[in-house]
Every structure is written in C-alpha cells, then in structure tokens.
C-alpha cells in the first residue's frame, strides 16, 4: 500500500522506514527538510519519496483512497495538520492521528472530517525508539471500514506474536485474533487514544513503583539506621537478578538494568521528570467516572515534585523514560 507520513521524529521516521521494509511505499514530510532526507536514505530503496509540504504529500498519493498518517505531538501542531489535511483530501480518503492526542479531540475531529466524507482514525502507538525493529503495539478507533482497509499497514507495523506464549483460552469466540499480533480495533473515534491514554497512566504507576523500590534499597546504608541494619546493595546486580524469573520482570525493568549497568549512580540524569499529558488525562477520566486511581495520581504528582528537587528514584524514572522513548530531560 501507499501512505503519507507527516512528522518524522523519534517514532514517525521509524514507522515510515519499517513500512518500507515490509513492501509498502511511503511519502514522507516534516518541517525539517533534513529529517525528510534522512528518512528517505534509511528506507528500503525506492519505497520512500520526500515531500516539501502537506499539499505535496497529498499530490503524490494515488489510488481510490489516499491515506495520510500524522505522527506529531499533541496540541496545536496536530490540530493544524489534521484540519489542513481535511481541506486537501477528498471523500473516501483516510486521515490517521498516531500521536498522543486527547481522545475528546479525536471525537470532535472525526465529526468534522465525516462531514467532508473523510474517515478519521486515532491510533494509540506504543513502542518508542525500539519500534523500528521490535514493532509497535497499536490501539485504534474510528470507522470500522477504514480500519479494515489499512489492516496491511497495521500488520506490518505490529510486532507479531514473537516468542511470547499464547494466553490460554484465546481461541474462544468473541476475542480478536489481532490482539495476539500486537494491534487491536477498540471501537469508535477516540477509543484508540483512550486506551493508549490509560496504558500510559498505568505506565506511570509501574515506573513509580520501580523507582521507589530502588530508592529504598539505594538508601539502605543510610547513617540514620543502626549500623548492623545498614546494607550496601548493588543496584545493577539487583535489577539483573530480578530480570531472571522474577514476577516483576518486564521491559521497564530491562531498561532500568541497562541504565544501572552503564552507571550505577545514574549520574547523567538529573531526575527532573516530565509528563507528556496522558497521565493527567487518565486521572481526569477517572474523576469523570468516579473511579479511584490513587497509584496513578501519586505517580503524576511525584513527577511534578521532581522538578523542584529530586532523589535517586527520579533518576531511575528518567533512565527508564530515556530507555524506551529517548526522552531527554529538559534543561529548565
């Protein structure tokens, strides 16, 4: 298939390149012309062409349904891009937002585009900087017919079953087999980003639990403790042993172990931890539904506090964020 990719940052560029590896053709655009050039160079030969503008992207697409995937930060730049595409594309075409957009914005945009006969899909995309080789976990919503049309695109981006054992009873009626491949149709417009939003809220809580646990162990040799209760523990070795058969083994733990093996003090991280929005939106949704989410709320507030002074725990958080997403700490 042919698809336009707009936004060639940490994930957008890799999405474009991965699609070319699976035989798809991409037209790529970014405001940074060098990003376009680099993506075309990295793509499989002949399967990527650069564009100089959104108008150029749409002009280079052919076929009965033109497809454009926006992979930009949530906010004004995504809003402007989606609305510009709405004016450039026609009935039957498909616009995709694969960034971390607030799901209520998806619902609104889908209605606007539907008036023009354009289908809008929201795709919550997880995989970070590792997605190029590992594949991307995707949760998507919107018109079912449009979602089915782009299934070859999603199948190419998804990680597939890999070596993860099958979950017992997965073959019973009512369960979507694509979930085992790493991508899932969630429902109407907004549902994909809603599921991804909650995914990120859970991620906040998991990361915070690891960070606090390592901080407790890191400080076990504190002079505040009785001398015979002080232990000098090796964080890198503990992270590594937990990776091997422990019930808390996970990709987040893998990334923590990698960072600690490189530098046990995590001295290159300040511990000033940003939040990208999804954690806040998850808590807002929980308030609207009267659902208690104390773990995720505490994790979000800890990120706020980290910006005015931090501990080893926040350095662990920073290390994990850099590991999976290439997130670089702000410099103030």
């Amino acid at each position: 298939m042919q698809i336009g990719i707009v936004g060639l940052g940490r994930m957008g560029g890799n999405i474009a390149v991965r699609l070319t590896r699976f035989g798809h053709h991409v037209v790529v655009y970014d405001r940074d012309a060098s990003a376009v050039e680099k993506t075309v160079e990295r793509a499989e030969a002949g399967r990527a062409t650069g564009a100089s503008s959104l108008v150029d992207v749409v002009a280079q697409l052919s076929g009965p349904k033109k497809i454009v995937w926006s992979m930009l930060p949530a906010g004004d730049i995504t809003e402007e891009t989606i609305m510009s595409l709405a004016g450039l594309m026609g009935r039957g075409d498909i616009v995709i937002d694969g960034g971390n957009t607030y799901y209520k914005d998806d619902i609104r945009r889908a209605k606007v585009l539907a008036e023009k006969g354009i289908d809008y899909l929201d795709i919550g995309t997880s995989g970070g900087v590792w997605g190029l080789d590992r594949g991307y976990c995707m949760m998507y919503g919107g018109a079912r017919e449009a979602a089915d049309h782009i299934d070859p695109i999603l199948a190419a981006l998804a990680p597939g079953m890999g070596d993860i054992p099958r979950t017992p009873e997965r073959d019973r009626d009512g369960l979507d087999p694509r979930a085992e491949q790493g991508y899932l149709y969630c429902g109407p417009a907004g549902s994909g980003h809603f599921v991804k939003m909650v995914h990120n809220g859970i991620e906040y809580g998991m990361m915070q639990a690891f960070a606090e646990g390592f901080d407790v162990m890191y400080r076990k040799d504190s002079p505040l403790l009785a001398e015979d209760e002080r232990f000098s523990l090796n964080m890198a070795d503990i992270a590594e042993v937990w990776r091997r058969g422990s019930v808390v083994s996970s990709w987040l733990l893998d990334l923590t172990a990698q960072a600690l093996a490189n530098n046990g003090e995590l001295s290159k991280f300040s511990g000033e931890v940003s939040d990208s929005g999804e954690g806040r939106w998850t808590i807002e949704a929980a308030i609207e539904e009267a659902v208690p989410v104390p773990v995720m709320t505490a994790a979000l507030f800890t990120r706020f506090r980290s910006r005015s002074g931090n501990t080893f725990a926040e350095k662990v958080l920073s290390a994990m964020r850099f590991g999976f997403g290439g997130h670089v700490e702000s410099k103030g």
Side-chain angles (χ1 to χ4, degrees):
M1 297 182 74
Q2 185 191 39
I3 183 171
I5 306 290
V6 177
L8 305 175
R10 286 190 297 262
M11 291 178 68
N14 283 347
I15 284 173
V17 173
R18 184 173 172 90
L19 286 174
T20 66
R21 290 181 178 180
F22 285 81
H24 298 286
H25 294 259
V26 298
V27 178
V28 296
Y29 170 66
D30 192 282
R31 291 181 179 179
D32 180 357
S34 66
V36 175
E37 183 178 348
K38 290 176 183 176
T39 302
V40 172
E41 289 175 352
R42 292 169 55 215
E44 291 293 319
R47 295 193 188 129
T49 57
S52 58
S53 65
L54 290 179
V55 173
D56 193 20
V57 171
V58 176
Q60 290 194 51
L61 296 174
S62 59
K65 286 182 180 288
K66 294 185 177 183
I67 309 166
V68 178
W69 181 312
S70 170
M71 200 66 190
L72 297 164
D76 291 343
I77 188 171
T78 292
E79 182 73 17
E80 293 167 7
T81 298
I82 298 299
M83 292 302 112
S84 293
L85 289 170
L88 295 170
M89 300 175 73
R91 183 169 296 275
D93 291 342
I94 300 171
V95 173
I96 300 167
D97 180 6
N100 285 325
T101 287
Y102 186 40
Y103 77 99
K104 291 184 179 180
D105 288 334
D106 292 313
I107 296 171
R108 171 179 53 79
R109 291 174 189 157
K111 291 176 181 177
V112 172
L113 269 64
E115 293 175 357
K116 300 175 178 291
I118 300 171
D119 287 317
Y120 177 90
L121 298 175
D122 56 287
I123 302 184
T125 312
S126 181
V129 295
W130 300 82
L132 175 61
D133 296 316
R134 288 169 56 108
Y136 298 91
C137 174
M138 293 168 291
M139 304 132 267
Y140 54 104
R144 188 62 181 261
E145 183 179 349
D148 289 344
H149 180 76
I150 68 162
D151 192 79
I153 296 288
L154 301 177
L157 291 174
M161 291 189 66
D163 58 1
I164 300 175
R166 292 197 72 195
T167 300
E169 310 297 329
R170 273 299 311 178
D171 54 355
R172 68 179 176 83
D173 292 342
L175 298 180
D176 191 333
R178 290 172 296 189
E180 288 186 307
Q181 303 298 319
Y183 66 112
L184 178 68
Y185 177 74
C186 298
S191 62
H193 276 147
F194 181 82
V195 173
K196 175 58 162 52
M197 178 188 78
V198 177
H199 162 283
N200 282 28
I202 293 170
E203 178 187 293
Y204 278 34
M206 293 173 65
M207 292 172 69
Q208 186 64 32
F210 274 124
E212 291 177 6
F214 276 100
D215 203 11
V216 170
M217 294 185 291
Y218 181 77
R219 297 173 182 276
K220 187 53 179 168
D221 61 355
S222 169
L224 298 174
L225 301 173
E227 188 171 351
D228 63 351
E229 294 179 2
R230 300 176 196 170
F231 307 143
S232 182
L233 302 171
N234 187 300
M235 299 297 100
D237 286 345
I238 293 170
E240 188 62 32
V241 76
W242 283 358
R243 294 182 64 219
R244 313 292 172 171
S246 164
V247 296
V248 298
S249 59
S250 66
W251 188 27
L252 291 176
L253 181 60
D254 293 346
L255 296 170
T256 303
Q258 181 178 332
L260 288 167
N262 180 261
N263 178 346
E265 297 296 318
L266 301 178
S267 58
K268 72 176 182 179
F269 297 101
S270 72
E272 296 181 10
V273 186
S274 299
D275 67 286
S276 53
E278 297 88 346
R280 302 184 191 209
W281 299 335
T282 300
I283 293 165
E284 289 174 2
I287 292 171
E288 292 173 353
E289 300 165 16
V291 175
V293 287
V295 171
M296 289 187 280
T297 302
L300 176 64
F301 285 6
T302 297
R303 294 190 177 202
F304 295 162
R305 189 204 56 73
S306 76
R307 297 161 208 168
S308 59
N310 45 70
T311 65
F312 187 76
E314 276 82 51
K315 292 185 178 184
V316 175
L317 286 176
S318 286
M320 280 187 276
R321 292 183 81 246
F322 180 77
F324 67 73
H327 299 289
V328 178
E329 294 172 341
S330 64
K331 301 302 181 183

